[in-house]
């Protein structure tokens, strides 16, 4: 099997090709290596290959990996943010991907102030409306975004979504395209840049790139199949 770093560089080339075919600047599409469940050694290998952005969804695992790995890694917390875990996440993560209620936004900003941290954060939108998914509904987004724009410490940078698994391509285009439109409308209304659209995973990233993704969250396609304990 090819080494992980080689895999990573091959993936970067593929992203570049898909971005160019979609008439996008390839520099505007970043790869976030979703390292949850994979060992520190794998992360170290990708780090050697030049990767600096890694995504985790459990606090103890993030804590352990962060303390053992180089300091210039940017850690993304991609799990559901729970109210009683906000402080831990603030102390560990550089980017927080899935904030989904006004109360959480306010708590996040207050704790960032107390801890002297200014992480970037994204609002998670449940575009597809699947009951099993977290994230706010598109209807609830205006109120949530209003809270996000009021933050003084946490930096509101954009939106995140997860598409339904195994959905047909038309549905994926619709979900990702809707997230982009929601972002564009907010950016226009508030006259603010909301540069990040975190969308696209191993199975659907090409369509996400076509619809404007700026951060692809890629796990299994980079590291191999995940085995949960
Ligand atoms: C696990 C996970 C991913 C990566 O999934 P793959 O299909 O392995 O690429 C992306 N985003 C979130 C929120 C995840 O939890």
């Amino acid at each position: 099997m090819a080494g992980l770093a080689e895999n990573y560089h091959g993936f970067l080339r593929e992203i570049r090709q898909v971005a160019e075919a979609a008439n996008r600047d390839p520099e505007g599409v970043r790869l976030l290596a979703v390292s949850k469940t994979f060992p520190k050694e794998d992360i170290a290998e990708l780090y050697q290959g030049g990767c600096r952005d890694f995504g985790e969804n459990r606090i103890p695992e993030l804590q352990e990996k962060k303390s053992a790995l180089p300091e210039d890694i940017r850690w993304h917390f991609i799990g559901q943010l729970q109210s009683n875990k906000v402080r831990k996440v603030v102390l560990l993560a550089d980017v927080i991907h899935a904030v989904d209620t006004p109360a959480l936004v306010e708590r996040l900003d207050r704790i960032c102030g107390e801890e002297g941290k200014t992480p970037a954060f994204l609002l998670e939108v449940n575009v597809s409306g699947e009951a099993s998914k977290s994230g706010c509904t598109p209807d609830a987004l205006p109120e949530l975004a209003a809270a996000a724009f009021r933050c003084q410490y946490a930096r509101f940078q954009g939106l995140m979504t997860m598409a339904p698994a195994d959905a047909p391509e038309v549905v994926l285009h619709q979900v990702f395209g809707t997230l982009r439109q929601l972002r564009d409308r907010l950016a226009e209304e508030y006259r603010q840049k909301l540069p990040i659209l975190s969308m696209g995973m191993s199975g659907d990233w090409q369509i996400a790139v076509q619809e404007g993704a700026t951060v692809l969250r890629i796990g299994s396609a980079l590291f191999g199949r995940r085995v949960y304990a």
Side-chain angles (χ1 to χ4, degrees):
M1 209 182 128
L4 282 180
E6 223 172 290
N7 219 356
Y8 169 68
H9 288 289
F11 214 95
L12 291 181
R13 277 193 297 276
E14 265 188 73
I15 292 172
R16 183 168 282 272
Q17 283 164 7
V18 172
E20 280 168 356
N23 286 316
R24 295 192 51 199
D25 175 4
E27 297 301 313
V29 188
R30 296 288 161 157
L31 172 57
L32 167 58
V34 175
S35 48
K36 66 185 186 196
T37 76
F38 296 105
K40 294 190 278 284
E41 292 72 22
D42 286 2
I43 299 178
E45 214 173 313
L46 280 196
Y47 180 90
Q48 290 298 325
C51 186
R52 292 293 178 273
D53 289 273
F54 293 92
E56 294 284 336
N57 66 349
R58 295 201 184 152
I59 291 166
E61 190 177 340
L62 169 56
Q63 204 155 22
E64 194 201 319
K65 287 173 173 173
K66 183 180 166 112
S67 65
L69 288 157
E71 282 194 4
D72 62 339
I73 287 179
R74 285 180 295 272
W75 293 101
H76 297 241
F77 189 76
I78 62 170
Q80 209 176 348
L81 187 62
Q82 289 167 2
S83 169
N84 60 341
K85 305 280 172 60
V86 171
R87 192 174 304 273
K88 284 199 164 141
V89 171
V90 162
L91 291 173
L92 293 167
D94 302 290
V95 185
I96 302 168
H97 281 241
V99 184
D100 63 1
T101 66
L104 264 178
V105 169
E106 282 158 20
R107 187 179 173 83
L108 172 66
D109 196 48
R110 176 173 58 74
I111 290 175
C112 285
E114 288 169 8
E115 300 291 348
K117 297 281 189 187
T118 58
F121 74 99
L122 311 175
L123 298 177
E124 181 180 7
V125 186
N126 180 356
V127 177
S128 63
E130 281 180 293
S132 62
K133 286 212 166 28
S134 52
C136 77
T137 64
D139 286 348
L141 183 60
E143 189 194 342
L144 182 57
F149 278 120
R150 281 195 296 269
C151 287
Q152 297 183 29
Y153 304 98
R155 294 175 295 115
F156 178 31
Q157 294 282 288
L159 304 180
M160 177 270 207
T161 198
M162 282 177 85
D166 304 319
E169 287 197 7
V170 280
V171 173
L172 296 172
H173 277 287
Q174 193 249 326
V175 166
F176 295 142
T178 300
L179 194 75
R180 186 192 64 233
Q181 286 169 11
L182 291 169
R183 188 277 309 268
D184 290 349
R185 262 181 249 155
L186 284 177
E188 192 183 356
E189 185 184 343
Y190 286 87
R191 297 176 189 282
Q192 296 276 341
K193 282 214 170 70
L194 285 177
I196 302 182
L197 278 177
S198 167
M199 56 189 197
M201 310 185 358
S202 292
D204 55 22
W205 65 268
Q206 291 95 336
I207 293 172
V209 170
Q210 289 162 11
E211 294 294 343
T214 68
V215 174
L216 308 176
R217 307 183 309 269
I218 308 292
S220 43
L222 261 187
F223 291 98
R225 204 158 53 86
R226 259 189 310 278
V227 181
Y228 286 98

